[in-house]
Amino acid sequence: MASLDRIRTDGFRRWYERQLIECHAWLVSWFLGLIVLVSGIELAGAGSGSRFGGMLLLVGGLAVTLFSWSRYRLLLEIAERLGEQAVCPNCDAYAKFSTVAAGPIPLPDGGDPALENHGGGIWLQVKCRKCGNEWMLR
Ligand SMILES: [Zn+2]
């Protein structure tokens, strides 16, 4: 929710841009994890002395690739889902809205549990700055 609050404070375009930057940073992290994973496979298969180190690299690389991929997919999915609905149904203005209400209510600790759960229950009621039409993003 902390991330979605930025729509209200910074505007949708800026939030969307930041969301794409963050999600591609996770893609870079996935790629680095993949390099570590492959290095681990190679090291584990090389010799008896480096087998333990290779296994550690393999497990660490695997954890990084799996976590990074899930974050990348999640952030991209939410950005695309909200981005598709950011067009005013009345006048076709893109991302020219202000947030009237949002839910679920943002948590005080600033965590993103709603994002973690694939955006379940996230909604924004927005008002077009051009024509005054209100609609929901969910
Ligand atoms: Zn409009």
Side-chain angles (χ1 to χ4, degrees):
M1 284 320 291
S3 170
L4 289 178
D5 271 348
R6 279 191 231 127
I7 294 176
R8 192 190 325 238
T9 55
D10 299 347
F12 184 80
R13 278 177 193 262
R14 203 175 179 98
W15 172 84
Y16 189 75
E17 183 185 293
R18 285 183 56 99
Q19 192 83 351
L20 290 184
I21 289 170
E22 189 179 335
C23 112
H24 284 90
W26 282 111
L27 187 63
V28 169
S29 141
W30 169 81
F31 187 69
L32 294 176
L34 191 65
I35 291 172
V36 171
L37 176 86
V38 171
S39 304
I41 290 172
E42 193 154 313
L43 206 61
S48 58
S50 54
R51 177 157 284 174
F52 182 69
M55 289 303 286
L56 278 180
L57 283 178
L58 196 155
V59 170
L62 186 65
V64 169
T65 51
L66 292 176
F67 184 74
S68 300
W69 186 253
S70 71
R71 289 298 296 180
Y72 168 73
R73 290 285 314 265
L74 174 65
L75 295 180
L76 188 62
E77 186 184 309
I78 291 172
E80 291 303 308
R81 187 159 52 96
L82 293 183
E84 286 168 5
Q85 301 172 57
V87 179
C88 174
N90 194 38
C91 70
D92 289 340
Y94 178 73
K96 292 192 186 315
F97 58 77
S98 51
T99 306
V100 177
I105 305 300
L107 296 172
D109 66 285
D112 282 36
L115 289 179
E116 302 293 338
N117 297 328
H118 272 240
I122 292 175
W123 56 268
L124 294 168
Q125 185 171 3
V126 296
K127 184 175 186 176
C128 180
R129 273 188 252 128
K130 207 169 161 188
C131 72
N133 181 43
E134 284 193 20
W135 76 100
M136 296 279 285
L137 306 180
R138 53 182 118 218

